[in-house]
Amino acid sequence: MHELDAPQRRALADAALALLEHLYRRDAVAPLHTPAPNTLVEAMRAAPPEAPGDVETVLQQLQAAAETGWNKRVGGDLAYVPSGGLYSGAVAALLAAGLNVFTGSAFETPALVALEEGVLQWFARLLGLPRETEGLLLSGGSLANQSAVVCARERGDFDPARSVAYLSARAHHSLHKALHLAGIAPAQVRALACDDQGRIDLADLHARLAADRAAGARPWLLVGTAGSTDTGSVDALAALAALAAQHGLWLHVDAAYGGAFALTERGRTLLDGIACADSVTLDAHKGLLLPFGVAALLVRHPGALARAHRGRGDYLRDVPALPGLPNYFERGPELSRPFRGLLVWLPLQLHGVAAFRAALDRSLDLARSAHARLAALPALELPLAPALSIVVLRARAGDAATQALLDALNASGELHVSSTTLDGRVTIRLAFLHPRTSAAQIDAVERIARATLGGERA
Ligand SMILES: Cc1ncc(COP(=O)(O)O)c(C=O)c1O
């Protein structure tokens, strides 16, 4: 039966924690990448057995699968936007599932919904948003962006035929998905040019707004990015906020990657203006180093989330409204949902805010150091200085050489890096965010770049 007695519960939990312990210890010596054999991939696809399996065999199978692929618990993880995967966050996820509380409404578990509200209000204060700001924890920045776009669409003056959205040509692709899901036609979306810092080109924005108004269109939504995925660039948010106010635009700031840097002094300076946003996305599984699956959406207008996610069911007639505590199912797309608040709350309680601030400051320092060291290599070209913690580089010799360097970095067994195209050229990104990343990774990039492209320091 699936009902376990106390010794069985203990044995299962011990075995699971032993597996995690094995993986965490193995990380330091394991290869950064281990190919997954086809036989294993096929075995993992198999349908579940009719009869019970024993714990040891089942966890051995899981371990075999978990020991393949890219190892994401090490400092060499510089690809895409790394998730720190803090162990305390993993334990919080276990506790959240173990408690199995329903946090979709407040009345079943008011104290735990209050915990989640505390987390959301802490995020809002961190960004300087006003007290009345409402929030929601979702699975990631993509869903937060989606709900934000729907909030904007539900504002009274949206006109399906004439309203126009403006976003950077380098905005995250989830925003295009969000606009599509919200029923906004591609002809009503303007992808704005970027300046030499990778930020929205304000002259282009001015020109498009004027042209659209002259053509009878209605400017509606402006999306700023605080930490673009490609380069970590932060749009001039204060200028965007001023334009949004002038033209009556809803300003959404996608701070999925950059938002947590508000904990640092340098980050706060860069994010100036974010406090004026109508809505903000902030991923806790990026800058706050938590395991995948938790992001915040903050909306400054009370009731906007509820209007965007309205719906009714007679079976919900017994759910009361508690004063001061929200029913999250009324604010978002989910009814049943994991207790995400705990994933943020527990690590913050255990490590303290200062530890997160220090980790983010360290990532900013590493990016600056990497930029300075790599810019000194004559074979490399670094098209922009890092605003946050992403460094971009390419070979002066062209795309083929850049691709060769990318392949060499990923084949080294020391690094996992990813790339993008910038100015029409293949460009390597180094994303410094993982708490275990150190100067050792910068040493490795420099050594491999010299070996692959040749050239001494300038
Ligand atoms: C700027 C930005 N926005 C949105 C997202 C999407 O976030 P998620 O992967 O959590 O859905 C990302 C992911 O990297 C991002 O960098």
Side-chain angles (χ1 to χ4, degrees), residues 54-378:
D54 74 282
V55 173
E56 208 175 311
T57 314
V58 171
L59 290 189
Q60 265 168 11
Q61 194 188 15
L62 177 63
Q63 180 178 322
E67 287 180 348
T68 64
W70 286 101
N71 181 348
K72 298 192 81 64
R73 289 176 296 273
V74 286
D77 183 18
L78 307 179
Y80 308 103
V81 182
S83 151
L86 289 182
Y87 191 81
S88 53
V91 171
L94 171 66
L95 286 171
L99 296 177
N100 197 28
V101 287
F102 184 78
T103 55
S105 58
F107 84 104
E108 292 202 20
T109 173
L112 297 179
V113 168
L115 173 162
E116 192 151 323
E117 271 301 278
V119 163
L120 286 161
Q121 287 303 323
W122 178 71
F123 282 135
R125 293 302 84 71
L126 182 63
L127 301 176
L129 289 162
R131 293 241 154 245
E132 63 271 21
T133 298
E134 292 181 345
L136 186 69
L137 291 178
L138 290 154
S139 63
S142 301
L143 275 197
N145 284 340
Q146 187 182 319
S147 282
V149 168
V150 178
C151 284
R153 192 193 62 191
E154 291 303 305
R155 203 177 63 169
D157 55 355
F158 177 79
D159 176 343
R162 291 165 62 212
S163 292
V164 175
Y166 303 81
L167 75 178
S168 163
R170 310 213 73 87
H172 193 261
H173 80 285
S174 61
L175 285 153
H176 292 281
K177 281 191 199 173
L179 288 161
H180 174 66
L181 286 164
I184 315 301
Q188 287 166 261
V189 179
R190 307 280 179 266
L192 303 163
C194 292
D195 65 13
D196 58 1
Q197 302 293 306
R199 301 170 302 194
I200 285 178
D201 180 338
L202 295 173
D204 188 40
L205 175 55
H206 276 284
R208 303 259 199 157
L209 285 167
D212 282 332
R213 281 215 183 281
R218 182 179 288 177
W220 153 62
L221 168 68
L222 174 59
V223 180
T225 303
S228 70
T229 319
D230 281 329
T231 62
S233 301
V234 178
D235 287 332
L237 301 177
L240 296 190
L243 270 176
Q246 185 188 339
H247 290 270
L249 296 156
W250 180 288
L251 176 63
H252 174 63
V253 177
D254 179 3
Y257 154 58
F261 285 93
L263 280 170
T264 70
E265 215 174 300
R266 285 173 282 184
R268 264 195 306 282
T269 306
L270 266 175
L271 294 169
D272 179 41
I274 201 167
C276 301
D278 294 287
S279 52
V280 179
T281 289
L282 186 159
D283 275 13
H285 59 216
K286 293 188 169 70
L288 284 187
L289 315 175
L290 299 181
F292 291 113
V294 53
L297 170 62
L298 303 161
V299 181
R300 80 183 303 122
H301 311 288
L305 280 163
R307 279 191 295 283
H309 299 95
R310 62 187 177 273
R312 60 176 294 281
D314 289 339
Y315 39 80
L316 295 170
R317 61 186 291 279
D318 305 317
V319 178
L322 294 197
L325 287 178
N327 290 328
Y328 289 125
F329 79 85
E330 292 170 329
R331 281 190 183 176
E334 300 169 306
L335 176 57
S336 303
R337 56 198 293 280
F339 178 23
R340 298 191 181 96
L342 188 54
L343 270 72
V344 186
W345 184 88
L346 190 75
L348 282 168
Q349 298 289 323
L350 291 178
H351 310 303
V353 174
F356 292 88
R357 182 177 300 113
L360 289 161
D361 262 324
R362 207 167 145 271
S363 295
L364 292 173
D365 290 341
L366 283 171
R368 270 136 201 81
S369 159
H371 180 265
R373 286 178 56 184
L374 298 171
L377 293 188

Side-chain angles (χ1 to χ4, degrees), residues 14-29:
D14 283 351
L17 293 181
L19 166 60
L20 275 189
E21 196 50 38
H22 165 80
L23 291 173
Y24 274 71
R25 280 173 196 235
R26 169 186 174 275
D27 289 337
V29 289

